[in-house]
Amino acid sequence: MVHHISDEAADEPSITTQTPPNDPSQAPLVYKVGYPPPKNLATEFTETLRETFFHDNPLRQYKGQSRPRRFMMGLEFLFPIFGWGRDYSLNKFKGDLIAGLTIASLCIPQDIGYSKLANLDPQYGLYSSFIPPLIYAAMGSSRDIAIGPVAVVSLLIGSLLQAEVDHVKNKEEYMRLAFTATFFAGITQAALGFLRLGFLIEFLSHAAIVGFMGGAAITIALQQLKYVLGIANFTRKTDIVSVMESVWRSVHHGWNWQTIVIGVSFLVFLLFAKYIGKKKRKLFWVPAIAPIISVILATFFVYITRADKQGVQIVKHIEQGINPSSVHKIYFTGPFVAKGFKIGVVCGIVGLTEAVAIGRTFAAMKDYQLDGNKEMVALGTMNIVGSMTSCYVTTGSFSRSAVNFMAGCKTPVSNVVMSVVVLLTLLVITPLFKYTPNAILGSIIISAVIGLVDYEAAILIWKVDKLDFIACMGAFFGVVFVSVEIGLLIAVAISFAKILLQVTRPRTALLGNLPGTTIYRNISQYPEAKLTPGVVIVRVDSAIYFSNSNYVRERILRWLTDEEDRAKAVGLPKISFLIVEMSPVIDIDTSGIHALEDLYKNLQKRDMQLILSNPGSVVIEKLQASKLTEHIGSSNIFLAVSDAVRFCTTKSMQEP
């Protein structure tokens, strides 16, 4: 339907207008708001389901393909190795070999240290860098992620397991619960991928993750003081107050000066190596090999001086051989199943969040797409298999992935190379770690986690969004002053609180006309915008749901009351029209429709007319189904604010 009303507003969807040559009024033709064709329930449900779970249309590539080709494409989808493996070359292998050897030199000492964070024997860290990387190399879609234990997840699983079972008194039960938690972490990750529910991890905001990671890094570093200072009796609590009390309580009789010399000197060396790598990107290999060099030198120093006889704590024994089966150790019945499930879900989601974020970061750098759901399936599968081969929860490591990227990796084969080096270590080299001091492992972990304290990101968050900064600091202080799990809970709670706040208290704006145009904009953003006498124009910047419908109605009425008072004060014409600009309103439910009905009735009592501007297809369809369009009148629903204003001013001029 076409009406002669006005020009199209620049802030509305582009509409072609024409001037009929024989029209003496020369009024432009303007389209009215269109009503979408009705859909049956099945079509509407199918479209909603497809948009929610299959927005990327993963099946489009299979259209028009033969059955054998579809089978191969399906195989490549589950196992990307069949895709990139066809084009693999010697040149790519050279890059992967160098990258794999480089990250292997970094991962071996880190794995031994991270297993201590999880309160497990050193070999379990090495086990976790052998089997899972092989699974990921076959199923993962990221070319750059380096798989293995990571500091934050190791600390998290260690603290959660310790809350259920004492790792000293009940070592066997603790280890079995660790494998059970790993199994359920894998099930959680794979299920989220298969069911295409990856969007659920997005509820942990970037700001909350920055705060949580920073707090976890501080906590991990503080936990390493027992190794760097040589303290034998150390608190099992992770909060900063308990840790510092434990440190100062043992200052006179618990510190070991030989251990301090080893720990501090090599920590300085490791930090200096990181500084060199950051200053000159070509020397990225320096901080990568610094940990293994530190381990070799420290081990040799302790061996020749027999510093272990002087109170320097050493690793002592690492089990030799490849991963033993642990299927029989996973709890499938009994009270520990629920505990393992709870811990596994938490660790799985945290690991997933970290890995997907890392994968997307490097994918953007190399300009390729990363399928988040496929990544979840790959990570979940490797943790399920890992739980059955004596591994604990593994994920993508940022420090190792960064080294992998800078070392020139081409494909996931770099993970295979790293895995082979770890295998050789398990078969041959583990006895040589007997005299490795715990202090050097503590120093390696401290140097690794320092990079997780992203103060620059926190400063940027403060500048951009104060509410995000509260989420960041809430997660940070929750981890540092209470515990890792409480910090994570605070991070999730504040993230949800922010969503609820934005949903329940959406923004509204009073619009005015930019002089010389038909554009209507927020008067707070554009002070030069002029208000239209007798007309109040309010924009709602959100969907209108049950959670915010009352607020939206009350806020619009408050804008109206304020403008009525202002008009009386300065002697302007009485307000006769309220225009609600609905372009940003992407959806509305029955509560929102009732709110508009109440608003309409309220305006009727005030002798005012409600006008709607540019409701979207979903909104106008629901307004029509509820017959609200009949109450308001289809002639009072316009495509553009400028059309509505022209209508209001024309009608005002016609009234006596």
Side-chain angles (χ1 to χ4, degrees):
M1 183 176 5
V2 178
H3 287 254
H4 300 273
I5 301 177
S6 74
D7 295 332
E8 173 55 48
D11 59 328
E12 312 301 339
S14 176
I15 303 295
T16 302
T17 62
Q18 311 174 50
T19 302
N22 299 323
D23 188 349
S25 67
Q26 295 294 304
L29 293 174
V30 179
Y31 288 101
K32 291 287 286 183
V33 171
Y35 291 82
K39 300 176 185 176
N40 60 49
L41 180 62
T43 302
E44 190 172 355
F45 178 77
T46 303
E47 288 182 357
T48 302
L49 191 69
R50 182 170 62 242
E51 190 61 31
T52 302
F53 297 104
F54 303 98
H55 60 280
D56 54 346
N57 194 13
L59 300 179
R60 68 185 182 280
Q61 57 185 327
Y62 297 93
K63 292 179 181 177
Q65 303 292 340
S66 63
R67 186 171 295 178
R69 178 59 184 154
R70 286 181 183 177
F71 174 77
M72 284 305 300
M73 290 174 70
L75 202 62
E76 289 176 15
F77 181 80
L78 290 174
F79 300 96
I81 190 172
F82 289 111
W84 56 260
R86 287 198 303 268
D87 303 321
Y88 200 68
S89 63
L90 181 62
N91 187 49
K92 288 182 178 179
F93 178 69
K94 289 178 181 177
D96 289 334
L97 179 63
I98 294 171
L101 292 174
T102 307
I103 58 176
S105 66
L106 177 63
C107 87
I108 291 170
Q110 281 187 350
D111 290 344
I112 296 172
Y114 292 160
S115 62
K116 288 184 174 293
L117 279 176
N119 301 316
L120 294 168
D121 291 335
Q123 65 268 18
Y124 292 105
L126 295 171
Y127 292 160
S128 300
S129 280
F130 172 43
I131 297 293
L134 295 176
I135 304 296
Y136 183 84
M139 299 186 67
S141 56
S142 173
R143 305 170 196 166
D144 305 283
I145 282 184
I147 296 296
V150 297
V152 173
V153 176
S154 298
L155 176 68
L156 183 61
I157 194 171
S159 60
L160 291 174
L161 290 172
Q162 182 62 34
E164 302 292 344
V165 180
D166 190 284
H167 74 280
V168 177
K169 297 178 181 177
N170 302 295
K171 186 176 180 179
E172 183 65 21
E173 285 184 358
Y174 183 92
M175 187 172 60
R176 293 187 64 184
L177 189 58
F179 297 147
T180 305
T182 302
F183 175 79
F184 283 113
I187 292 291
T188 301
Q189 293 171 334
L192 288 174
F194 273 120
L195 299 176
R196 303 186 69 81
L197 296 173
F199 60 86
L200 293 177
I201 67 172
E202 306 294 343
F203 283 104
L204 199 59
S205 69
H206 170 69
I209 292 172
V210 169
F212 174 75
M213 289 294 186
I218 299 294
T219 301
I220 291 167
L222 290 173
Q223 288 289 306
Q224 302 316 301
L225 292 177
K226 62 183 173 184
Y227 299 125
V228 175
L229 301 177
I231 302 172
N233 298 316
F234 199 75
T235 181
R236 292 181 184 175
K237 296 180 180 179
T238 59
D239 64 282
I240 188 171
V241 176
S242 299
V243 170
M244 295 314 296
E245 281 182 354
S246 185
V247 169
W248 292 115
R249 198 184 305 121
S250 57
V251 66
H252 296 298
H253 56 82
W255 293 15
N256 181 275
W257 71 266
Q258 294 97 329
T259 302
I260 295 172
V261 169
I262 295 171
V264 173
S265 58
F266 279 105
L267 178 59
V268 171
F269 168 70
L270 290 166
L271 294 176
F272 181 67
K274 289 190 76 171
Y275 174 77
I276 292 175
K278 190 174 289 187
K279 269 290 186 183
K280 297 184 178 180
R281 290 178 63 85
K282 290 183 179 179
L283 298 177
F284 68 88
W285 52 270
V286 173
I289 65 170
I292 196 68
I293 291 175
S294 300
V295 168
I296 293 170
L297 293 176
T299 303
F300 180 70
F301 173 78
V302 171
Y303 177 73
I304 62 172
T305 62
R306 294 314 305 266
D308 56 308
K309 302 291 186 182
Q310 308 299 318
V312 175
Q313 300 172 20
I314 58 174
V315 172
K316 291 182 181 177
H317 177 70
I318 299 179
E319 197 76 38
Q320 196 170 4
I322 61 172
N323 306 34
S325 172
S326 56
V327 177
H328 60 287
K329 293 184 178 181
I330 299 174
Y331 288 112
F332 292 107
T333 58
F336 285 111
V337 175
K339 294 176 181 178
F341 175 77
K342 179 184 70 175
I343 297 169
V345 169
V346 173
C347 294
I349 290 176
V350 172
L352 205 56
T353 303
E354 187 172 356
V356 172
I358 293 167
R360 285 175 177 166
T361 299
F362 291 110
M365 290 181 180
K366 287 190 175 180
D367 196 25
Y368 66 89
Q369 293 295 320
L370 191 74
D371 188 329
N373 289 300
K374 192 189 297 185
E375 282 295 285
M376 293 175 193
V377 173
L379 293 165
T381 305
M382 78 178 190
N383 275 315
I384 292 171
V385 175
S387 70
M388 299 177 181
T389 52
S390 301
C391 305
Y392 72 97
V393 182
T394 53
T395 186
S397 164
F398 186 81
S399 59
R400 274 178 254 176
S401 298
V403 171
N404 197 31
F405 173 81
M406 290 187 288
C409 69
K410 305 298 181 185
T411 69
V413 169
S414 59
N415 276 291
V416 177
V417 174
M418 177 191 73
S419 184
V420 170
V421 174
V422 173
L423 171 62
L424 294 175
T425 302
L426 284 167
L427 293 174
V428 180
I429 306 176
T430 48
L432 300 180
F433 289 110
K434 179 180 179 180
Y435 290 100
T436 299
N438 289 336
I440 189 60
L441 300 177
S443 298
I444 290 170
I445 292 174
I446 291 173
S447 66
V449 300
I450 281 177
L452 295 176
V453 184
D454 196 348
Y455 65 90
E456 291 180 347
I459 293 172
L460 181 61
I461 290 168
W462 165 258
K463 291 178 179 178
V464 173
D465 191 323
K466 302 300 185 288
L467 200 59
D468 260 356
F469 185 76
I470 292 173
C472 179
M473 290 297 100
F476 178 82
F477 289 119
V479 173
V480 171
F481 285 97
V482 188
S483 65
V484 178
E485 51 269 37
I486 293 298
L488 183 61
L489 185 63
I490 291 173
V492 173
I494 294 179
S495 296
F496 270 104
K498 184 184 177 185
I499 294 171
L500 290 174
L501 183 63
Q502 291 175 337
V503 169
T504 58
R505 292 295 182 269
R507 296 181 187 276
T508 59
L510 191 65
L511 305 187
N513 175 244
L514 295 179
T517 72
T518 57
I519 299 173
Y520 289 81
R521 288 289 186 264
N522 185 349
I523 61 171
S524 296
Q525 185 178 1
Y526 298 92
E528 67 273 22
K530 303 296 183 183
L531 297 174
T532 305
V535 181
V536 172
I537 310 167
V538 178
R539 188 182 68 212
V540 180
D541 292 335
S542 167
I544 306 177
Y545 292 133
F546 66 93
S547 58
N548 63 19
S549 57
N550 287 328
Y551 172 80
V552 169
R553 185 190 70 244
E554 291 168 4
R555 190 68 186 89
I556 291 174
L557 289 173
R558 185 146 59 90
W559 279 119
L560 186 59
T561 302
D562 290 345
E563 286 306 300
E564 282 184 309
D565 293 342
R566 189 184 67 84
K568 287 179 183 178
V570 297
L572 291 174
K574 173 183 174 293
I575 303 295
S576 300
F577 300 93
L578 170 66
I579 300 174
V580 180
E581 155 67 319
M582 301 186 74
S583 297
V585 181
I586 58 172
D587 201 358
I588 190 169
D589 64 3
T590 53
S591 298
I593 292 170
H594 282 305
L596 288 181
E597 286 178 351
D598 292 342
L599 179 63
Y600 172 75
K601 292 174 183 177
N602 189 296
L603 294 178
Q604 289 289 299
K605 294 175 183 177
R606 297 189 185 194
D607 194 25
M608 295 181 190
Q609 181 63 53
L610 175 62
I611 308 289
L612 301 183
S613 170
N614 197 25
S617 60
V618 173
V619 175
I620 194 66
E621 188 177 20
K622 292 183 179 181
L623 294 180
Q624 185 183 32
S626 67
K627 300 193 182 301
L628 183 60
T629 52
E630 295 179 10
H631 291 298
I632 297 174
S634 58
S635 61
N636 293 321
I637 302 176
F638 295 88
L639 186 62
V641 173
S642 56
D643 298 341
V645 171
R646 177 67 64 85
F647 169 80
C648 295
T649 53
T650 302
K651 193 170 182 180
S652 296
M653 292 171 63
Q654 292 173 351
E655 292 178 356

